[in-house]
Amino acid sequence: MSDAVVLAADIAAGHDGDAELVVTVRYENGVVGVVALDSDSAFDIMQSCGAASSADLVGRPWHEVLKGV
Amino acid sequence: MTLSQQRRFTTPEPDETLDSLAARARPDLDLATAIELIRGWNLHIFLMRRPRGLLLGGDVVFIEPPLI
Amino acid sequence: MFDILIKNGMVIDGVGSKAVLSDVGIKDGKILAIGENLKDGGRQVLDAAGLVVSPGFIDPHTHFDAQLLWDGAAKPALEHGVTSIIPGNCSLSLAPLKAEDRKTLIGMFQQIEELPPAAFTDAFEWTWETFSGYRAAIEGTLSVNVAPLVGHSVIRLWVMGADAQQRAARPEEISAMQDLLRECLNAGAVGLSTSFVDVDENARPVPSRFAQFQELDALCAVLGEFGRMLQIVPEFYDTDITIARIDQLAELSLKHKIPTTLSPVFDNRQSPNNVPRTLARIDEQMARGARVWPQMQTRPIDISFSLLRPSLFFARLPSWVKILRLPVTERISALRDPVTADKLVADAGEDGGERLMGRLIVRGGGEAPEHLVGRTLGDIAAERGEVPARALITLSLENDLEIAFLAANGGHDSTDRIGPMLANPLVHIGASDGGAHLTSFSTYGDTGYLFSEFVRKSGALTLEHAVQKITSEPAEIWGLKDRGILKTGYAADVVIFDPLTIDRGIERPVFDMPGGGMRYVRDSIGVDTVVVNGQIAWAKGAYTNAQTGQICELA
């Protein structure tokens, strides 16, 4: 079983009119899924893993992205 | 009609902690691994909620990754 | 003689039948006759030549609970042809509520509906605690029909007090909640609403979210005694969780023989499998006999932001992310620094941000100068001799960052994808959220948009099908007795509209909330006349004094 990894991070419109970050993850079992993050959560993970932008998340192991939260 | 298989989940019991939930839901894994995986599969609880990780009685808590 | 005789209209009955040229006679609040060339005459005769005559539209997901206390028309919903509304969604209603819990509930309402504080202190008197008391407070001044849900969060709050937002309920508390719910249903509640998403003003989950599934099951047993609806807000941002909620609803529906509905369900390019997977699961559960209705809105979602709060709109731009995460005073200083500003502009792209920011629209309702409101940033930038990224910075600084920008159609915006979804027999058109999100965006005019975008523009639905989706279908799903169909003996809720022009107007700010509070609205276009229970409530662009709205009788 390989580590989950971020495949893409796109901006989308959330229900409340705020932008949200839709992160595409390839999970440890090979399945590709999406996770929609609100702005606080998305900025928090970007900061905690040292990503300068949403594009900077792409290619990172998912556990590394989440480790600081 | 037969229902297609969907991702397995559990719901927290009253006053349950992540530790006890992880031990209950994934006894096949060592506890630390179960906890880390469950956190990563349930960002609606462990990332987006304030306070983070607060388990609620109504929660859907996935105990496996998304299905193929 | 009829009270109202509508002549020469293209009558669409609401059940999908093809439009026919016919007259409609109304008397004593009911449809008395439908047919060609009715002879009896009417005290009021309306010539509907060239127009459609249809049942009044039904909006199944609103938050007009407070507004109804000072505005019985739920403006501007009624002028869009909406004659029946369902408030009390998302676990929150204004009753039952003990006096000592009002402050707690107001915080939740303000978070979700964005009503100004004056709405709860100046606009009405709290004369009730019980559900029947709230009903009495709104009855008599209604211009629109109301089928109110009772909120799970307030039922918890009544029984458990502050513990409702702390812990699971004990068996005796669940029993007390069952008794209270039964009392509300006997007083006319159309069902129970609950939420797995909403938070209060401190971002703490609302009381319903602390309930175990067993508690919801026990409350649904009471719904089963009446055959009434359970409405939920699922974690709509995640398909797997939504499917888990669908399965829970199906279990409750089958066990207690109740209808259930989940709202909202959205389509986004970034998660294109969300709706197809959701509907596939609904299909499986419906085939088992469960009644699980997903609600989908017609309107697209816009992204709105200012530089006062970090927005993910800029998430692709590293220098912008860095600056926008600074505390406000430091953020303003950084934006004023020429070197920093130059770097931000450079990072916005070689085109100066034209592609990313040029089509942003300056929103009204805040501190934006009137002459800029509604214009694109690209247009304003050209006028100022700046590139869009520079204009965004300077406009924000000139207005203390209190200027908001809108990126139109940021989600749920693919007409080609959404049209067939709305036409799907499994999909319940709704989720307007009317009366909520007041200062964020307009929640009115979704019905007009259904006709302009999905009937006239894309042809995804015929006119008759579109009418059916927002009249007889919601009436049947929710059990609204004798509504939603133009049929002899049914309530005379009627909309007369121009099928060639019906639409929603542009979004605009108005300051008509209590205390001068702002909200965004959209005017109706192409709606000629709205009749509620046999009296004209809106015609030719103006509201009348009719107050014939009722609490809906249930089947």
Side-chain angles (χ1 to χ4, degrees), chain B residues 50-63:
Chain B
R50 301 293 180 273
R52 283 192 174 129
L54 173 69
L55 285 173
L56 302 174
D59 278 339
V60 165
V61 184
F62 290 113
I63 57 172

Side-chain angles (χ1 to χ4, degrees), chain B:
Chain B
M1 181 175 184
T2 309
L3 289 171
S4 60
Q5 188 187 353
Q6 297 294 330
R7 196 175 174 189
R8 287 185 300 145
F9 67 92
T10 187
T11 54
E13 292 171 359
D15 302 319
E16 193 166 35
T17 63
L18 174 57
D19 285 19
S20 57
L21 185 146
R24 168 171 68 85
R26 290 303 301 261
D28 54 316
L29 301 172
D30 73 76
L31 186 60
T33 302
I35 287 172
E36 184 182 340
L37 287 172
I38 286 174
R39 280 166 51 88
W41 296 330
N42 293 282
L43 296 185
H44 57 296
I45 299 168
F46 297 100
L47 176 60
M48 291 190 270
R49 179 165 300 161
R50 301 293 180 273
R52 283 192 174 129
L54 173 69
L55 285 173
L56 302 174
D59 278 339
V60 165
V61 184
F62 290 113
I63 57 172
E64 64 182 0
L67 298 183
I68 294 170

Side-chain angles (χ1 to χ4, degrees), chain C residues 429-492:
Chain C
I429 292 181
S432 82
D433 257 346
H437 305 291
L438 297 180
T439 63
S440 294
F441 48 83
S442 168
T443 53
Y444 318 102
D446 286 17
T447 46
Y449 190 72
L450 171 67
F451 292 106
S452 65
E453 189 71 12
F454 298 103
V455 175
R456 289 203 303 275
K457 183 178 169 187
S458 78
L461 292 90
T462 64
L463 188 59
E464 291 85 351
H465 191 194
V467 169
Q468 181 182 11
K469 294 288 285 189
I470 54 175
T471 56
S472 70
E473 280 195 10
E476 185 180 353
I477 289 169
W478 288 82
L480 307 187
K481 190 178 178 194
D482 295 344
R483 298 194 189 276
I485 305 176
L486 286 187
K487 182 178 177 182
T488 304
Y490 271 54

Side-chain angles (χ1 to χ4, degrees), chain C residues 385-456:
Chain C
E386 297 174 327
V387 294
R390 178 82 64 187
L392 193 146
I393 295 168
T394 53
L395 283 172
S396 296
L397 288 171
E398 288 165 11
N399 295 280
D400 298 325
L401 309 192
E402 299 252 13
I403 183 167
F405 301 91
L406 182 139
N409 299 352
H412 196 66
D413 61 331
S414 169
T415 296
D416 289 345
R417 288 174 56 85
I418 293 167
M421 293 173 186
L422 294 173
N424 188 316
L426 299 175
V427 171
H428 181 17
I429 292 181
S432 82
D433 257 346
H437 305 291
L438 297 180
T439 63
S440 294
F441 48 83
S442 168
T443 53
Y444 318 102
D446 286 17
T447 46
Y449 190 72
L450 171 67
F451 292 106
S452 65
E453 189 71 12
F454 298 103
V455 175
R456 289 203 303 275

Side-chain angles (χ1 to χ4, degrees), chain C residues 171-230:
Chain C
E172 66 274 19
E173 290 169 329
I174 293 176
S175 178
M177 286 186 226
Q178 287 182 300
D179 291 342
L180 186 57
L181 174 59
R182 195 174 287 112
E183 182 183 315
C184 297
L185 296 171
N186 275 320
V190 72
L192 176 76
S193 69
T194 195
S195 172
F196 298 104
V197 169
D198 289 287
V199 296
D200 68 10
E201 72 278 27
N202 300 312
R204 187 164 181 82
V206 294
S208 67
R209 297 176 63 188
F210 289 80
Q212 305 291 128
F213 184 73
Q214 294 88 330
E215 177 182 321
L216 190 57
D217 181 51
L219 292 173
C220 287
V222 178
L223 290 176
E225 297 168 15
F226 297 77
R228 302 266 169 88
M229 177 69 82
L230 172 67

